Amino acid sequence: VACFDTAFHRTQPEHAQWFALPRALTDEGILRYGFHGLSYEYLAGVLPRFAHERADARAILAHLGNGASLCAIEKRRSVATTMGFTALDGLVMGTRSGAIDPGVVLHLIEAKGLSPADVSDLLYNRSGLLGVSGIDGDVRVLEADGSAEADQALDLFAYRAAREIGSLAAALGGLDVLVFSAGIGEHSAAMRARIGGYCTWLGIEIDTAANASHGPRISAPASRVDVFVIPTDEEIVIARAAKALLDGRA
């Protein structure tokens, strides 16, 4: 049984899936596929338990772990996401760079003499929180470290996440619900507070006490956006799909 991590995003409009490349390349399948779809499928499925009447409203799901991405949903269907053709695009991650000017890649190859394999290793394994801090790619380690380099890496992670939240809010035409999930999103109250602090212009106000206790609702009563912490469960999505196939329902 194969459960594709990209399948949840196929409801996106065409323009959300395209790169501005020659049409022939798009026709060959060079598209923004998106990832973490199994996590987003689970979160979209359980959202009515938490958001109630706002479950089908404009929401951003934040899967923040060693691999990190965001997904904008409306009526619990994917509208846009931060990862693209590969799982390298978008947010700062544990060891991955996230979105980067393509010209930097050309510079690394043409001026620095790196091979494609070298560039791949750099962007996937030696960048992100690890690369910026020079210490570690784990948020727990960096939050305990206390050095300026660790704080710079953590702030960049939060800043880039907040910028992408703004981008996805634009794609949705507004924002009603924000969900934090996965390792960092579920367990780092400090990172949730950092990101929320950058997003006050959207009407997000984090309740300090609720955030410290990890929710599930962490938005203050005055917040225009409902903010939740919801643990994800990709494995149950896979198990249900396998059972459906075995039962002849798929």
Side-chain angles (χ1 to χ4, degrees):
V1 177
C3 296
F4 290 93
D5 219 17
T6 59
F8 182 73
H9 302 299
R10 300 285 63 79
T11 57
Q12 293 178 8
E14 280 189 331
H15 62 251
Q17 301 182 51
W18 288 352
F19 293 108
L21 291 169
R23 183 173 292 271
L25 293 174
T26 302
D27 293 341
E28 288 175 11
I30 299 182
L31 297 164
R32 298 187 60 86
Y33 289 101
F35 294 88
H36 290 139
L38 298 172
S39 176
Y40 294 135
E41 181 176 343
Y42 175 80
L43 294 172
V46 300
L47 194 56
R49 300 183 202 169
F50 301 89
H52 306 300
E53 69 278 359
R54 280 186 138 184
D56 287 338
R58 301 165 299 185
I60 293 175
L61 310 177
H63 180 106
L64 305 180
N66 185 54
S69 71
L70 305 173
C71 179
I73 63 170
E74 189 166 18
K75 296 181 179 177
R76 290 184 283 154
R77 293 161 65 89
S78 180
V79 173
T81 191
T82 56
M83 284 182 171
F85 183 69
T86 69
L88 186 60
D89 198 8
L91 306 184
V92 173
M93 303 178 221
T95 63
R96 283 175 258 172
S97 65
I100 189 170
D101 180 346
V104 173
V105 177
L106 298 177
H107 174 78
L108 293 172
I109 294 171
E110 296 171 354
K112 303 291 288 185
L114 273 63
S115 69
D118 292 334
V119 174
S120 178
D121 178 59
L122 173 69
L123 298 182
Y124 275 99
N125 304 316
R126 296 190 285 121
S127 297
L129 291 170
L130 172 63
V132 175
S133 70
I135 300 166
D136 204 285
D138 192 315
V139 163
R140 294 167 296 185
V141 173
L142 297 178
E143 288 180 341
D145 184 271
S147 67
E149 292 81 3
D151 190 65
Q152 286 168 347
L154 292 168
D155 191 55
L156 180 60
F157 183 98
Y159 169 75
R160 289 280 294 276
R163 279 187 55 170
E164 291 294 338
I165 287 171
S167 172
L168 293 185
L172 287 166
L175 184 62
D176 303 300
V177 177
L178 174 62
V179 175
F180 289 100
S181 194
I184 300 168
E186 293 170 27
H187 301 294
S188 177
M191 182 55 72
R192 294 193 299 262
R194 282 181 187 257
I195 294 171
Y198 275 119
C199 295
T200 55
W201 66 275
L202 277 167
I204 291 173
E205 185 177 340
I206 303 296
D207 183 289
T208 302
N211 186 40
S213 63
H214 305 293
R217 179 187 290 272
I218 64 169
S219 47
S223 180
R224 296 198 306 272
V225 176
D226 293 329
V227 186
F228 300 96
V229 178
I230 304 177
T232 192
D233 191 344
E234 295 158 292
E235 289 81 5
I236 194 64
V237 175
I238 296 169
R240 288 169 179 163
K243 186 176 187 303
L245 182 66
L246 293 171
D247 290 346
R249 293 183 284 109

